Amino acid sequence: MITHKNISLFFIFLLLLLLLLKLYTAINLLWFIGIILIWIGINAFGSARISSNYHVKAFCNNPSETEKKIALTFDDGPSVFTLQVLDLLKKYDAKATFFCIGKNVEKHPEIIKQIISEGHLVGNHSYNHSKFFDFYNAATIAEEIQKTDQLLEKFTSKKINFFRPPYGVTTPSIRRALKLTGHKVIGWNIRSLDGGTKDQNLIFNRIIKRVSPGGIVLLHDTGSHSVLVLEQFLQFLDQNNYKVISVEELLNLKAYED
């Protein structure tokens, strides 16, 4: 597995080798600049792609699943639109996992109660979901995660095990924070992009092209366009004999600990 540690050691070795060679030969400075830029590029790609497992192990699907089973996940709620999402999930007898932002849990505690009472799971999606989350140090990240855990655990009465980093970006600081909190990182392999566009046809077609057994779908419960796409998608799954199950069941991982 290509990890941050392995890549870093490799490039440090290359730079030391060049420095050694420079003592005996004339090596152009561009070689050093080129290696450093490649190093930065690989780090940026690995950090931005949650399925790369570059900094942390992320569970993004179940490749061994052969039956038509997938998991639905929703990010950034709860919000007023979560209620419409819950109605649709009930209508199609589907279970989902909601990765909640702490400050939104504070705004809508009654919605969290409903999510849990209707048999869905909740996970941690940080407290503020700041654009600068991936620049925080480990202590600040751990504090955000723990603060959101405390809010959610008022409703679950159990320790939250699942965490999804904002924007799916991982960093060495997030890795260090997770060593303190003990969460499992849940990613996805079917990204709807409904957080960046409201084009329902584009979102829907993007999802259905990627559907396969064992997949984890990322949607948001924060907009009317996502709700409309969800209904189309649930109809599609029903027509194609797919069953929507929880992340816990799909991955055989516990969402909560006593």
Side-chain angles (χ1 to χ4, degrees):
M1 182 189 298
I2 298 175
T3 65
H4 174 257
K5 183 179 180 180
N6 293 337
I7 287 291
S8 295
L9 288 173
F10 174 72
F11 276 94
I12 289 170
F13 171 77
L14 279 182
L15 288 171
L16 289 173
L17 181 61
L18 284 177
L19 284 171
L20 183 63
L21 290 173
K22 190 169 177 59
L23 296 175
Y24 303 98
T25 61
I27 294 179
N28 196 308
L29 183 63
L30 290 176
W31 279 99
F32 289 93
I33 296 173
I35 286 175
I36 291 171
L37 288 176
I38 292 170
W39 188 359
I40 291 171
I42 291 174
N43 273 285
F45 178 82
S47 297
R49 193 175 180 86
I50 196 168
S51 60
S52 70
N53 295 324
Y54 190 64
H55 293 293
V56 299
K57 166 64 178 174
F59 297 88
C60 298
N61 68 322
N62 182 353
S64 65
E65 180 60 71
T66 56
E67 296 182 27
K68 286 188 170 183
K69 295 179 179 179
I70 67 165
L72 278 178
T73 65
F74 295 90
D75 284 9
D76 296 0
S79 77
V80 292
F81 297 102
T82 307
L83 296 174
Q84 297 175 52
V85 168
L86 290 172
D87 287 342
L88 287 172
L89 293 173
K90 184 182 291 184
K91 179 180 177 181
Y92 287 90
D93 191 27
K95 298 303 178 187
T97 304
F98 292 81
F99 288 93
C100 304
I101 297 174
K103 63 182 182 181
N104 291 339
V105 174
E106 290 177 326
K107 290 178 186 175
H108 304 287
E110 72 289 348
I111 297 179
I112 293 293
K113 288 180 183 177
Q114 187 172 337
I115 288 172
I116 293 169
S117 69
E118 294 184 5
H120 305 290
L121 302 175
V122 292
N124 192 315
H125 197 40
S126 80
Y127 180 79
N128 284 302
H129 200 285
S130 168
K131 293 179 180 178
F132 305 104
F133 187 84
D134 44 308
F135 294 104
Y136 290 170
N137 60 36
T140 303
I141 291 169
E143 184 181 337
E144 281 232 356
I145 293 172
Q146 289 163 349
K147 188 174 182 179
T148 303
D149 271 0
Q150 289 169 6
L151 291 166
L152 290 171
E153 287 166 10
K154 291 177 183 177
F155 305 98
T156 62
S157 300
K158 296 179 180 179
K159 182 186 181 299
I160 303 297
N161 274 348
F162 292 166
F163 172 70
R164 177 172 283 171
Y167 311 105
V169 174
T170 60
T171 65
S173 292
I174 291 175
R175 182 185 69 242
R176 289 192 289 271
L178 291 173
K179 283 186 177 180
L180 296 174
T181 66
H183 290 73
K184 290 181 172 60
V185 174
I186 306 299
W188 60 82
N189 68 333
I190 305 171
R191 189 170 193 169
S192 65
L193 296 181
D194 62 333
T197 178
K198 294 186 178 181
D199 187 328
Q200 294 168 36
N201 288 329
L202 188 154
I203 297 167
F204 176 68
N205 289 323
R206 177 182 173 81
I207 298 172
I208 63 173
K209 286 177 183 176
R210 290 164 172 76
V211 168
S212 61
I216 297 177
V217 182
L218 166 60
L219 286 160
H220 292 79
D221 53 329
T222 53
S224 58
H225 65 291
S226 296
V227 175
L228 293 170
V229 170
L230 175 62
E231 181 155 30
Q232 283 183 282
F233 184 49
L234 289 170
Q235 289 172 353
F236 169 85
L237 293 174
D238 190 49
Q239 291 164 2
N240 288 273
N241 300 313
Y242 268 88
K243 184 178 181 181
V244 181
I245 60 176
S246 70
V247 166
E248 189 176 56
E249 184 179 345
L250 184 73
L251 299 176
N252 195 27
L253 294 173
K254 289 185 178 181
Y256 315 125
E257 291 286 348
D258 292 327

